[in-house]
Amino acid sequence: MSLAARIAEEGARMAEACTACGACVQACPMTRFAAGVAEADPAEVASGMRALLRGEEASRISLAWIGACTRSAACNSACPERLDVALMMRFASMRARGALDGVPLLPTKADRGWSARVKGFARLGLTEQERAEWL
Amino acid sequence: MAVTHHPLPTERAVFWYGCNLLRHGDVLRLTARFLEAVGVDAAPRGGPSHCCGSTTEHNARITEGMGRRTVAAFNATGQDKVITWCPSCHMNMEDVMAPETPAQFSTTHVTEVLWDRRAALQKLLVQAVPLSVLLHRHAGFQPRVAVNDLVSNLLRLIPGLELVEDEEALPGHMCSALAGVPGALAAAHEANLAAMVRHGADTLCTIFHSCHREAVALERGRAITVMNWVHLLARSAGWAFRDEYKHLRNADDPRAALDDGALVRVGADVFTQLVEPELRRKPVV
């Protein structure tokens, strides 16, 4: 199964098990950094994440929450269904950023120079032998 | 180096340090040295050719391809254990990479390995490190690998070191995640600085590389020191090192602070366009 298929299928499977109770949203330490989420109904925010995993439309507030995810994992211990909410959020984030060839709903900060940059730092901090053996 | 008695047998593994740890060659080198010293013959592997794919998550095909290539490379080593450094890499291996490409190895974090071999490690930690250390902890990786507890326990092996822990771990799995959310990284740093004042700590100890690269700039204008946990172990072992990233990041002029030949080694264009802007970035607090 390709990663894209897994995101779609497993994401949908987890969405089916999700009741959108909002406990994950309430436990999340990042809601204060996501515009409007702290004031919103947690169940509505979670419902939008669930919808995205099903390939359906997600609300602006739900997208703000997904976009603010920093993988704190507080959602997992809060979920009464014992779902891997952190993985759900990961898949939702990937979908929202266009991983499945959909229109990106969240921006992705492309860092085109990333590879050359880390290699540049490697030349600063590692010897030639270390670079030859370790890279 | 003197031969150290290892109560556990010598084992061979791959030390998968990820990509962005390349900013911190001193940490990479010291970690490899500690692994060897406790009886783990772990060949360091990393960089863009061994990427976990986390930088391309907006494209599932590319992410899958990068992950497949890395798993295949580790399978080809014949080693049955891959030791990780980066929490993103570690979680990616479990969540995305191994489910797609069958892995012929198990994955364990470097803090778990060093803690398992703490008897050998303890013998190396001979010098007192009289610092009052606040541990910079994130919540996100702890349920997967109890890294906050493991690093705390490793630091407690260091004679003379006083460890303080703030009540709550910071959100996220490491600072690179927080850096992508406006206000989040600044809030984390402000929380740490306040905790250091509250506890009378003089040293902020980072666990992960992305936390370290963001936190070193906190030294500017403040009477605090930022060190990585591996640095603290190395100080106790009496091993010389220089935090090159911190040296350059906190220099008034990073270009002028380069060692002789460094600019040629890196490449003037790469330094000017890619490395120097990062080194000149102002701290968030």
Side-chain angles (χ1 to χ4, degrees):
Chain A
M1 181 186 289
S2 69
L3 177 58
R6 184 160 164 256
I7 291 170
E9 292 181 27
E10 193 167 336
R13 180 185 60 74
M14 290 191 285
E16 281 311 303
C18 171
T19 65
C21 67
C24 49
V25 181
Q26 289 178 302
C28 178
M30 296 302 295
T31 53
R32 65 185 174 118
F33 298 107
V37 174
E39 299 79 25
D41 176 4
E44 280 190 32
V45 178
S47 179
M49 183 263 288
R50 186 177 63 175
L52 188 60
L53 289 174
R54 288 172 171 159
E56 299 163 2
E57 202 171 312
S59 67
R60 179 186 58 80
I61 291 286
S62 297
L63 286 171
W65 182 51
I66 293 165
C69 178
T70 57
R71 304 172 75 174
S72 304
C75 45
N76 279 6
S77 49
C79 179
E81 307 303 318
R82 299 181 185 237
L83 298 175
D84 189 344
V85 187
L87 187 60
M88 294 170 71
M89 287 291 279
R90 187 116 188 258
F91 283 174
S93 175
M94 292 173 79
R95 286 196 82 136
R97 295 177 201 281
L100 304 192
D101 294 331
V103 174
L105 305 171
L106 287 172
T108 296
K109 194 177 172 188
D111 186 0
R112 297 187 194 283
W114 158 77
S115 177
R117 181 181 300 108
V118 293
K119 289 179 181 175
F121 275 111
R123 289 189 209 103
L124 274 179
L126 298 180
T127 66
E128 188 175 345
Q129 181 178 356
E130 287 169 340
R131 294 197 306 275
E133 293 177 1
W134 296 352
L135 276 166
Chain B
M1 188 189 308
V3 173
T4 305
H5 171 64
H6 306 300
L8 297 174
T10 299
E11 62 176 318
R12 299 191 67 203
V14 172
F15 172 37
W16 181 30
Y17 59 83
C19 299
N20 290 302
L21 184 59
L22 285 169
R23 285 176 171 81
H24 310 279
D26 49 296
V27 175
L28 169 49
R29 186 180 300 116
L30 289 170
T31 305
R33 188 175 175 185
F34 273 116
L35 286 170
E36 184 184 26
V38 299
V40 180
D41 180 7
R45 290 289 183 275
S49 62
H50 291 79
C51 188
C52 66
S54 61
T55 56
T56 59
E57 289 195 351
H58 56 283
N59 188 309
R61 273 193 300 276
I62 295 176
T63 298
E64 182 180 347
M66 292 174 91
R68 177 172 296 122
R69 182 181 65 178
T70 298
V71 173
F74 290 153
N75 284 344
T77 67
Q79 303 302 332
D80 62 7
K81 181 182 282 188
V82 168
I83 300 170
T84 63
W85 167 275
C86 173
S88 293
C89 294
H90 189 107
M91 292 193 282
N92 259 27
M93 180 62 77
E94 291 182 346
D95 294 345
V96 174
M97 298 162 73
E100 300 302 316
T101 307
Q104 293 156 20
F105 50 85
S106 62
T107 307
T108 184
H109 194 256
V110 64
T111 53
E112 294 175 308
V113 174
L114 291 178
W115 183 246
D116 283 347
R117 291 176 172 260
R118 56 192 176 276
L121 179 64
Q122 178 81 84
K123 291 183 167 69
L124 301 172
L125 306 179
V126 295
Q127 294 187 10
V129 180
L131 297 173
S132 177
V133 174
L134 177 76
L135 187 60
H136 173 92
R137 299 178 298 137
H138 286 274
F141 193 46
Q142 173 78 1
R144 202 80 72 107
V145 172
V147 66
N148 296 331
D149 299 335
L150 288 163
V151 172
S152 294
N153 290 338
L154 288 169
L155 292 178
R156 289 192 184 99
L157 298 176
I158 297 175
L161 187 145
E162 178 197 1
L163 180 66
V164 299
E165 291 180 46
D166 205 19
E167 297 77 26
E168 250 184 76
L170 299 167
H173 70 301
M174 62 174 176
C175 280
S176 53
L178 298 185
V181 179
L185 182 59
H189 282 169
E190 283 164 354
N192 270 173
L193 290 171
M196 291 182 77
V197 171
R198 205 160 51 242
H199 294 286
D202 51 38
T203 303
L204 182 66
C205 175
T206 60
I207 298 180
F208 300 121
H209 52 290
S210 81
C211 303
H212 194 71
R213 78 169 176 261
E214 299 292 349
V216 291
L218 293 175
E219 286 192 3
R220 296 190 201 174
R222 297 184 180 93
I224 64 170
T225 303
V226 179
M227 298 180 75
N228 185 260
W229 63 278
V230 176
H231 289 145
L232 289 167
L233 292 180
R235 183 170 285 188
S236 185
W239 295 352
F241 64 89
R242 182 168 87 162
D243 187 339
E244 185 69 21
Y245 188 87
K246 182 167 75 173
H247 166 69
L248 293 175
R249 181 80 193 269
N250 288 342
D252 289 335
D253 184 350
R255 182 178 287 255
L258 290 172
D259 290 340
D260 288 343
L263 189 60
V264 172
R265 206 162 64 237
V266 175
D269 285 349
V270 170
F271 183 81
T272 302
Q273 295 172 25
L274 300 174
V275 173
E276 189 172 20
E278 177 175 317
L279 294 174
R280 291 189 182 276
R281 196 155 42 89
K282 289 183 171 41
V284 294
V285 297

